[in-house]
Amino acid sequence: MNAMLRCRDIGKLLYDYVDGTLEPVLKQQLEQHLADCPGCLAFINTYKQTINLSKELRPKGMPPELRQRLRSFIKSKSLQPPGFWKRLWLRLAGSS
Amino acid sequence: MASPPTENQNFIKRLKARNEAALEELMAQYETKVFGLALRMTGNRQDAEEILQDVFLAVFQKIDGFQGDSKLSSWIYRIATNTALMKLRNRSKFCEIPLEEELGPKMTEEGMIAEPVVDWSKLPDEELARKELLHWIDKALTALPPDYRSVFVLRDIEELSAEEASQILEISIAALKSRLHRARLFLRKELADSMMAHFPNFKMVSPK
């Protein structure tokens, strides 16, 4: 059965394999292929590593000055009561 | 799993009443997520800060219309993604992403790998190399077309489920899966190429 999977097939099964949704028979065939194919193993390892590294791109926090500027900005806008902007717009539109 | 306090009805009522403590709680919970998403989507800190402000302003202005059909977090992610996509639309055209077959190693006619593949996944504890890799991913992300980038950011950086990401982007699970796979292949290839260029002595794995 192992001989049936070619490297090209691995590329098509890769997503589901990494996602953990590949059906067991195919998973076993894929793993047999990997055991015998360093090129595919390297490819799959680096595909997984790309996903793992990407998680580290998520910032752990925000710079304090940015937090401050966000709050000042929102405060300057949100002190107006609900509908304020709409009423202002209607008033301006009506007076033109 | 219990929902975070910002998902409950009472909290949303307080937000609709413009309760200042609730607004602060919402910002504290989501500002880093929104900023991170904006930063990875635009690759530019100034744009990311503008998006951050625009998103929270939109959230506070539109909260009265929030019906609770989706989670509050999905609603905020949707506003953030759309705001970032709008910003990207003003930029010059992006390249098309290559076809899936062009993003993997070259194959023989029999469908077997025909060239060496570099395995840089097990870095020998080299912080420098890891930092380089992160820098290259970040750079390569900006070359991804926006529709692929948004999928990658929501799924692989923000780690949202496929269901939530597909709702936010209003695309099918199948489309999400296809875009995510191609985005990953694209980034993997960019990393492999950068690795080869900067570390020419890195261990090569030859095809059998």
Side-chain angles (χ1 to χ4, degrees), chain B residues 28-161:
Chain B
Q29 167 122 11
Y30 290 105
E31 61 190 343
T32 307
K33 295 180 202 294
V34 171
F35 179 65
L37 180 140
L39 195 58
R40 298 308 161 210
M41 285 292 289
T42 60
N44 178 306
R45 195 183 146 130
Q46 195 183 333
D47 284 346
E49 183 169 353
E50 279 178 28
I51 291 168
L52 176 73
Q53 295 184 344
D54 290 348
V55 167
F56 279 103
L57 185 60
V59 166
F60 297 147
Q61 286 177 336
K62 293 178 179 173
I63 189 69
D64 289 324
F66 176 70
Q67 302 292 325
D69 300 335
S70 64
K71 287 198 296 183
L72 183 64
S73 62
S74 302
W75 186 67
I76 295 172
Y77 270 119
R78 183 178 303 146
I79 293 174
T81 309
N82 288 340
T83 309
L85 285 171
M86 288 279 280
K87 183 82 83 185
L88 290 178
R89 282 194 192 110
N90 296 329
R91 292 191 186 168
S92 53
K93 293 277 178 211
F94 291 89
C95 299
E96 287 290 310
I97 192 167
L99 294 171
E100 203 171 308
E101 304 85 69
E102 294 164 18
L103 291 169
K106 286 191 177 59
M107 298 281 169
T108 62
E109 277 185 23
E110 292 78 35
M112 303 304 277
I113 289 180
E115 62 182 2
V117 181
V118 181
D119 189 351
W120 41 263
S121 66
K122 291 173 189 67
L123 293 169
D125 199 24
E126 289 176 22
E127 266 309 301
L128 180 66
R130 198 174 181 82
K131 277 187 186 155
E132 286 283 324
L133 284 170
L134 282 173
H135 171 69
W136 291 331
I137 297 188
D138 211 9
K139 201 165 153 230
L141 258 178
T142 62
L144 265 180
D147 287 346
Y148 290 82
R149 205 182 308 176
S150 54
V151 169
F152 186 81
V153 169
L154 290 177
R155 285 285 282 125
D156 282 355
I157 299 182
E158 292 299 317
E159 295 186 80
L160 300 187
S161 69

Side-chain angles (χ1 to χ4, degrees), chain A residues 1-20:
Chain A
M1 292 295 279
N2 184 21
M4 286 173 67
L5 280 189
R6 297 164 305 164
C7 301
R8 183 172 286 143
D9 303 321
I10 303 300
K12 294 188 175 73
L13 302 173
L14 183 56
Y15 182 95
D16 288 337
Y17 178 65
V18 170
D19 203 31

Side-chain angles (χ1 to χ4, degrees), chain A residues 48-64:
Chain A
K48 282 191 208 166
Q49 184 69 343
T50 304
I51 302 169
N52 290 334
L53 281 166
S54 300
K55 297 183 199 338
E56 294 180 31
L57 289 175
R58 192 168 50 192
K60 307 283 181 286
M62 286 230 302

